[in-house]
Amino acid sequence: MVRPSSSAACGAIEAAPGDVHLYDTDGGRRIATFPGHEDEIISLEFDPRGARLASAAQDGTARIWDVAGERPPLTLTEEIPGQPGALTPVVDVAFSP
């Protein structure tokens, strides 16, 4: 999965299950790696300014990454009612303009 940023010269790709790699689209150089998901990433989306990247994975989490790497990711989860510890699947992420 490759997702280009509309406002920054970078793109994101899942390189291995759970890792997001951020690349400079002009030179193809890897800028950063964001590890943390425990399963395959199924959705990536940059915010309109290109400052944050959201990811959704089959591990039941959505994460919002600071592209500059200055802050730890925000991890979002929701348990399935009546099933302690079981997480609701996250299938897509998006930012509102």
Side-chain angles (χ1 to χ4, degrees), residues 12-36:
I13 186 170
E14 179 192 20
D19 291 346
V20 177
H21 289 189
L22 192 65
Y23 285 91
D24 173 348
T25 55
D26 290 333
R29 177 179 63 86
R30 187 184 323 166
I31 300 169
T33 298
F34 302 128

Side-chain angles (χ1 to χ4, degrees), residues 8-71:
C10 62
I13 186 170
E14 179 192 20
D19 291 346
V20 177
H21 289 189
L22 192 65
Y23 285 91
D24 173 348
T25 55
D26 290 333
R29 177 179 63 86
R30 187 184 323 166
I31 300 169
T33 298
F34 302 128
H37 284 292
E38 297 177 11
D39 206 340
E40 182 180 352
I41 296 168
I42 53 178
S43 180
L44 293 169
E45 186 70 39
F46 282 95
D47 78 336
R49 295 178 306 138
R52 293 184 307 258
L53 175 67
S55 58
Q58 290 184 351
D59 62 4
T61 65
R63 296 176 191 259
I64 301 175
W65 309 89
D66 174 29
V67 170
E70 297 173 0
R71 298 181 201 166

